[in-house]
């Protein structure tokens, strides 16, 4: 999906919120010690999210674009693709950062979560299995970037776009489809208790991503799944950032910094 497919970018940051695909609840704006952080929530590979990412980054022109990817996977998405992560990296010549790192920081955060929650042995085993699966997927993405996607399956890159919306329609229809999808997803999460292993791994990932963002100088736009928005924002506040209201004025001021 190209920028031409999803519509023109707003002329100014103040106009971003005029589009139904970019609303204040899609974004979190934080003023940190080293610069402004804008978190953009996405439904992976949804056209509304692709447009949101592209328009926010082009309008705000940040110094850094951060994406919810392991560093090993970053080169594959830099080569292009249909999803919002590739759109984010293609929207600007700014520095890029893969913040979902499964390295020493993640392992330290994971150890902290395990220590605080004291899960059972079975849960610890599932945590290790989850972490290894993500590592294998990231390695597949790196190999695919070198040898081609046909030779290496890449689950992180090929989740696919819902066929019901593969042909873009008007912005309001696409935005409403995404909202219904989110509503169904969160309803399912509320109806069933999440496995403890998933909660622990996600908490460690959010702490790791927040730390990477806090270490970024100047302005940064970070593209993350909707389910991580509030967790990352809370971690950034714990590290000294202040939450700001998301409106036309604050977005315009963000673009000027």
């Amino acid at each position: 999906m190209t920028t031409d497919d999803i519509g023109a970018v707003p002329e100014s940051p103040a106009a971003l919120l005029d589009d139904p695909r970019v609303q204040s609840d899609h974004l979190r704006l934080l003023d940190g010690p080293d610069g402004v952080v804008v978190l953009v929530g996405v439904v992976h590979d949804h056209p509304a999210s692709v447009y949101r990412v592209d328009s926010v980054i082009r309008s705000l022109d940040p110094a850094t674009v951060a994406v919810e990817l392991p560093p090993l996977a970053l080169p594959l998405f830099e080569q292009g693709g249909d999803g919002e992560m590739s759109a984010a990296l293609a929207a600007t010549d700014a520095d890029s950062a893969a913040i979902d790192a499964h390295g020493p920081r993640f392992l330290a955060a994971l150890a902290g979560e395990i220590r605080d929650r004291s899960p059972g042995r079975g849960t610890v085993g599932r945590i290790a299995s989850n972490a290894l699966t993500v590592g294998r997927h990231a390695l597949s993405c790196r190999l695919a970037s070198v040898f081609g996607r046909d030779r290496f399956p890449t689950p992180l890159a090929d989740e696919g776009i819902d066929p019901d919306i593969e042909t873009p329609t008007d912005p309001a229809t696409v935005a409403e489809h995404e909202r219904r999808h989110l509503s169904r997803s969160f309803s399912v999460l509320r109806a069933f208790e999440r496995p403890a292993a998933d909660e622990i791994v996600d908490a460690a990932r959010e702490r790791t991503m927040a730390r990477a963002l806090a270490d970024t100088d100047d302005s940064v736009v970070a593209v993350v799944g909707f389910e991580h928005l509030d967790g990352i924002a809370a971690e950034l506040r714990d590290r000294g950032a202040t939450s700001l209201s998301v409106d036309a004025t604050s977005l315009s001021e963000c673009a000027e910094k």
Side-chain angles (χ1 to χ4, degrees):
M1 182 175 297
T2 67
T3 304
D4 292 337
D5 294 327
I6 57 180
V9 175
E11 294 181 359
S12 69
L16 279 169
L17 299 179
D18 293 338
D19 192 292
R21 294 166 292 185
V22 188
Q23 298 299 303
S24 59
D25 60 343
H26 300 151
L27 309 174
R28 302 290 184 272
L29 180 57
L30 298 106
D31 190 7
D34 297 316
V36 174
V37 177
V38 180
L39 302 176
V40 184
V42 297
V43 173
H44 293 305
D45 289 342
H46 195 289
S49 292
V50 174
Y51 174 83
R52 182 181 311 122
V53 164
D54 184 85
S55 60
V56 169
I57 291 173
R58 291 181 187 271
S59 296
L60 300 185
D61 191 25
T64 301
V65 170
V67 287
E68 183 196 329
L69 291 173
L72 276 175
L74 186 63
L76 181 65
F77 290 81
E78 289 177 330
Q79 294 174 4
D82 291 330
E84 76 291 332
M85 298 299 172
S86 293
L89 297 168
T92 177
D93 292 330
D95 292 339
S96 59
I99 57 174
D100 196 7
H102 281 57
R105 284 184 173 181
F106 170 74
L107 293 176
L110 190 60
E113 291 293 330
I114 293 173
R115 182 180 61 251
D116 293 342
R117 303 188 189 212
S118 301
R121 183 176 299 177
T123 298
V124 172
R126 285 188 289 274
I127 290 171
S129 177
N130 289 351
L132 288 173
T133 297
V134 172
R136 286 196 297 268
H137 289 171
L139 180 59
S140 293
C141 287
R142 174 54 65 89
L143 293 172
S145 72
V146 177
F147 299 107
R149 297 172 189 251
D150 293 340
R151 293 185 59 185
F152 290 94
T154 54
L156 289 175
D158 298 323
E159 295 177 1
I161 295 175
D162 188 325
D164 292 339
I165 50 171
E166 191 167 359
T167 300
T169 56
D170 66 282
T173 301
V174 176
E176 178 58 26
H177 185 285
E178 183 190 50
R179 191 170 293 279
R180 290 199 306 270
H181 175 87
L182 277 171
S183 179
R184 289 194 301 269
S185 297
F186 285 117
S187 293
V188 170
L189 287 176
R190 288 191 294 267
F192 298 95
E193 184 176 356
R194 290 191 70 203
D198 292 352
E199 291 185 353
I200 290 172
V201 170
D202 279 352
R205 290 175 60 203
E206 289 165 0
R207 186 181 298 183
T208 303
M209 289 189 278
R211 182 174 176 181
L213 292 171
D215 289 345
T216 303
D217 294 330
D218 214 338
S219 60
V220 56
V221 170
V223 179
V224 300
F226 263 105
E227 66 274 18
H228 299 303
L229 271 180
D230 291 330
I232 294 174
E235 289 286 346
L236 286 171
R237 288 194 296 271
D238 288 344
R239 295 178 179 278
T242 301
S243 289
L244 305 175
S245 62
V246 179
D247 53 37
T249 300
S250 62
L251 289 173
S252 295
E253 290 175 351
C254 178
E256 295 171 358
K257 293 184 177 181

